[in-house]
Amino acid sequence: MAGKIKNYYAGGNTARGFHNLYDSNLQGLDRLFILKGGPGTGKSSLMKKIGNEWVEKGYNIELLHCSSDNQSIDGVIIPALKVGIVDGTAPHVIEPKAPGAIEQYINLGEAWDVQVLGLHKNKIQRFTYQINQLFQKAYSTFNEALEIHDDWEKIYINSMDFNKADQLTNRLIAAFLGKMKLNKKSDIRHRFLGAATPMGAVDFVPNLTEDISKRYFIKGRPGSGKSTMLKKLAAAAEERGVDAEIYHCGFDPNSLDMVIFRELGIAIFDSTAPHEYFPSRDGDEIIDMYELLIAPKTDELYAEIIERITAKYKEKMAEATSYLAKAKELHDKLEAIYISAMDFTVVEEIQNQIAEQIRELAGVRVE
């Protein structure tokens, strides 16, 4: 039987720049292959092929998706083997903890023809500069959107009953954890459930929660305390030795969108746009923060202001996304240059070497 694939992001294009959560997801690995090489050198394809080999063998894998290219991945992890492969090129630079003993650098640049690339030097430099400029414009525009979002939040923060918010959080902690105290250190992983991509907002909520028996859908408005509640739930679980997957907001990484306690079969997440979902299975439950915590008729009272803020916010988000899309167009042109200079038989050989090393590691573990 084939294994399962868990999809998430470990890096994101956010209002605070490119935000990197790779270290949290690579902790505990015995072997990490770090791929170096320019765009179009086959890093993503190599990782997908090796991941697929192990899925077909019945192993579960994790795919770390690329927020700047919807068709690419930035990494693959095979948890049972404690093995990972990641793209170690900017902006997701991986700092090795034990070079050679755990981390191994793989240079796919061995497969390119330097003379061919030299002919395109000016284009490569120009495209690279333009792509970087577009990402900076995207980040600054997302930041402008965040400032607008802050104004949106203030309306609801000023209408919120904080005592009721604390009571709700405490009730959920009691319901989830009771008097549980596990005799172990929590395994905490920080991730993104989705990302701002060239194709707009993308998320993997259905995939990440497919094996969860009890799902809580948090509804509400900006500033209604969703992230704060999730942070308190995660902290309470960590204090008691419960493992947690903590999913940060792909727009503002200082906020949380979801926490999963797989040991307990519980997921609780912000189920508002752009990752809006509704109960579809037995056990699914809605927690409506607006209804429970916000003064009645707040929406109606501030309707005109909210409408103006919402329009400005959506406009800025669309503008920022357009810069990501333009960066992707240029990146595709840059990739084409590198592809024309690549000898993919060399890449295939490197892939086979990595695959063989992983098979040997798996053989050692089976013995």
Side-chain angles (χ1 to χ4, degrees), residues 45-322:
S45 297
L46 182 156
M47 292 186 284
K48 284 179 180 176
K49 285 174 185 171
I50 290 177
N52 287 337
E53 176 190 334
W54 290 93
V55 167
E56 288 167 10
K57 289 179 177 177
Y59 285 75
N60 296 337
I61 67 166
E62 297 174 5
L63 294 183
L64 285 58
H65 287 256
C66 175
S67 57
S68 301
D69 183 346
N70 296 76
Q71 305 307 315
S72 291
I73 61 169
D74 284 339
V76 60
I77 296 171
I78 311 164
L81 302 181
K82 294 192 174 183
V83 169
I85 313 171
V86 288
D87 180 345
T89 56
H92 25 75
V93 178
I94 312 297
E95 292 297 333
K97 304 293 187 294
I102 294 176
E103 296 91 359
Q104 182 177 336
Y105 283 101
I106 308 290
N107 180 19
L108 297 184
E110 291 175 12
W112 62 39
D113 186 324
V114 177
Q115 287 184 317
V116 172
L117 291 177
L119 297 173
H120 299 282
K121 183 182 76 170
N122 291 338
K123 265 189 185 176
I124 290 171
Q125 289 176 326
R126 185 172 77 253
F127 287 152
T128 302
Y129 174 78
Q130 290 173 334
I131 290 166
N132 287 336
Q133 290 298 107
L134 284 164
F135 274 113
Q136 292 313 310
K137 285 175 84 169
Y139 300 149
S140 63
T141 309
F142 278 131
N143 192 256
E144 289 174 39
L146 181 59
E147 288 173 3
I148 296 166
H149 196 270
D150 288 343
D151 290 336
W152 196 355
E153 286 189 341
K154 283 172 192 169
I155 293 168
Y156 294 99
I157 290 169
N158 292 335
S159 305
M160 186 168 161
D161 187 325
F162 288 94
N163 287 329
K164 283 185 180 176
D166 288 340
Q167 289 166 14
L168 172 61
T169 301
N170 290 335
R171 281 202 304 275
L172 288 173
I173 290 171
F176 292 2
L177 302 169
K179 295 182 179 178
M180 186 185 303
K181 178 73 176 173
L182 303 182
N183 189 27
K184 67 177 178 64
K185 190 175 186 294
S186 302
D187 185 332
I188 306 293
R189 305 285 167 150
H190 291 270
R191 298 167 174 164
F192 294 105
L193 61 80
T197 79
M199 294 176 69
V202 172
D203 73 79
F204 292 114
V205 170
N207 169 262
L208 291 166
T209 64
E210 66 183 356
D211 294 332
I212 301 295
S213 54
K214 185 70 179 174
R215 301 189 301 174
Y216 293 85
F217 296 63
I218 309 173
K219 300 295 182 179
R221 309 291 188 271
S224 57
K226 301 184 294 291
S227 174
T228 300
M229 185 170 76
L230 289 172
K231 287 176 181 176
K232 289 179 178 178
L233 287 167
E238 187 172 5
E239 280 175 21
R240 299 170 188 228
V242 175
D243 298 345
E245 295 168 26
I246 299 172
Y247 292 87
H248 293 249
C249 171
F251 172 53
D252 178 6
N254 292 346
S255 291
L256 300 187
D257 275 345
M258 177 165 71
V259 181
I260 297 179
F261 309 113
R262 284 195 190 273
E263 293 166 296
L264 310 180
I266 292 172
I268 178 165
F269 60 97
D270 179 341
S271 185
T272 58
H275 33 78
E276 185 174 22
Y277 293 93
F278 295 92
S280 59
R281 306 193 319 231
D282 289 343
D284 287 351
E285 190 174 320
I286 286 177
I287 299 171
D288 191 328
M289 306 289 270
Y290 180 79
E291 192 178 290
L292 294 169
L293 308 177
I294 306 297
K297 303 213 179 282
T298 297
D299 281 349
E300 291 81 357
L301 192 60
Y302 296 97
E304 285 184 29
I305 300 170
I306 291 168
E307 189 178 348
R308 284 200 303 273
I309 288 174
T310 305
K312 279 170 63 182
Y313 172 73
K314 286 181 177 176
E315 185 185 314
K316 282 295 172 188
M317 292 298 282
E319 183 187 342
T321 301
S322 75

Side-chain angles (χ1 to χ4, degrees), residues 335-349:
E335 278 193 339
I337 294 171
Y338 278 88
I339 288 168
S340 71
M342 290 292 291
D343 181 347
F344 284 100
T345 60
V346 176
V347 176
E348 194 174 342
E349 199 176 303

